[in-house]
Amino acid sequence: MSTGFSIAPSCALEFGPGAVSRLSALVDGLGADSAFVVTDAGLRGTGIVDRVLGGLAADGLRTGVFDGIGPNPSTTVVDAGAVALRRFGPCVVIGLGGGSVLDAAKGIALLATHPDAHATDPLWDSPVDGLPLVAVPTTAGTGAETNGFGVVEDTCARRKIYLGHPSVRPRVAVLDPELTLGLPAAITAATGFDALVHGVESLASRGANPVSDAAAAQAVALVGRWLPVAVDDGTDLDARSQLLLGAHLAGQALTVSGLGLVHGIAHAVTAHLGTPHGIALAAVNEQVMRYSADAAAAPYERVRRALDGAAPPAGPAPAIDTVTALAEGIGVRRTLRELGAARDLLPVLAAAAVADPVTANAPRPPSEADVRDILDAAW
Ligand SMILES: NC(=O)c1ccc[n+]([C@@H]2O[C@H](COP(=O)([O-])OP(=O)(O)OC[C@H]3O[C@@H](n4cnc5c(N)ncnc54)[C@H](O)[C@@H]3O)[C@@H](O)[C@H]2O)c1
Ligand SMILES: [Fe+2]
């Protein structure tokens, strides 16, 4: 290939059932005797958080916790978490939860060392590092453990904004599939579909290269094979393991390549309607893939091969049909109308989707009118 590229190393990886028991040693390895867990109240209700906190304390670490993160975290909650962390003092920050928690934890770890800043301030180029972060994902979806940026909602502006810094890319990702065994089927489906879209959009992205392609193709194969199994039987540890690895690889891929228009639209849908990320993606994925089909014919052929290598190549249609059937099968497909979108919201969503930086990597650059047509078809 003729163009060069640079790739920053991703996080170290600890994978396997029970891997979370190695957390204290990992904190110790980062030179700290204190750990501050950032998590959400829903997860706390499952008992996972208190088990992890108990394990850290039993190993002699000073522990603190902020469990105020909810789905689609806001800049306000990130600011509140940073205040709590500054009060706790120097430590390793442990993000324990889904993508919402991991994204918020990045902002909190960064703001901890920037006492005069807020989550709405751009700190990408700050000379001051955030506190070290360890990520423990409890959903198999976002792959947020692979990168140093987060997507949070600016409640005042009603839009998703990006925050982050190279220093808050997790030092270690602890992938313990046992933590995902209790994830309800509907959340397994929505978060897993996010991972599948990451793989597909990464393959089709303008930022793709052979490194991201390798991770994305394997991610699509793993998630396509194991997501329906995990939705069907959440206690299947093998399916949970493969899905968690697939989602992680999809995160590696998107961190290198960027994503595309499905994410651009979904961010706007969630900012306006509060829709869970994976459900917002599923509402428009088929329409965006059809819109992109000619420009993304070769990447969609890779998607087809990853999902169903035995089927003969026949243009982009089989990949689109297979992904759509999978979304249908796991129950994540809704129309925008079913998600509560009034028709006069569609132009607002179209403008926001075109302005979202993630859309810049779409294989076929969309105009606002193009996105309005896509939204009409998805309504
Ligand atoms: N940084 C990135 O690379 C990146 C990529 C994609 C998406 N995101 C962001 O991630 C967020 C979505 O994250 P998500 O899809 O993981 O969902 P989430 O973190 O919002 O979690 C969804 C729900 O699942 C519950 N939950 C989590 N783990 C559980 C478990 N093990 N058992 C029972 N319940 C559990 C949570 O309490 C929550 O109610 C969005 O804000 C999205 O923008 C970030
Ligand atoms: Fe996503």
Side-chain angles (χ1 to χ4, degrees), residues 141-142 193-195 197-198 201 254 259 263 267 277-278 281:
T142 68
F193 192 70
D194 182 26
V197 176
H198 290 165
E201 287 215 293
L254 81 88
L259 291 167
H263 271 78
H267 289 159
H277 181 60
L281 297 166

Side-chain angles (χ1 to χ4, degrees), residues 57-88:
D59 290 330
L61 293 174
R62 187 174 72 93
T63 61
V65 62
F66 178 78
D67 65 5
I69 315 294
N72 308 316
S74 66
T75 47
T76 318
V77 93
V78 171
D79 284 332
V83 170
L85 176 51
R86 281 197 288 267
R87 234 180 265 135
F88 180 73

Side-chain angles (χ1 to χ4, degrees), residues 4 43 82 114 119 122 126 128 149 155 168 182 219 252 256 265 272 309 318 373 376:
L43 193 60
H114 295 78
S126 170
V128 180
F149 67 87
T155 353
V168 292
Q252 299 266 15
V256 170
I265 297 175
H272 283 272
D373 289 345
D376 271 333

Side-chain angles (χ1 to χ4, degrees), residues 280-343:
L281 297 166
V284 296
N285 186 68
E286 180 187 2
Q287 291 77 5
V288 173
M289 284 186 80
R290 293 206 186 287
Y291 168 80
S292 314
D294 288 342
Y300 286 180
E301 169 57 17
R302 296 200 68 163
V303 171
R304 182 201 64 77
R305 272 209 305 272
L307 289 174
D308 186 6
I320 301 174
D321 292 346
T322 307
V323 173
T324 305
L326 196 148
E328 198 73 62
I330 60 171
V332 291
R333 286 242 298 167
R334 317 262 190 291
T335 63
L336 288 173
R337 190 164 22 165
E338 286 166 341
L339 297 181
R343 197 151 197 139

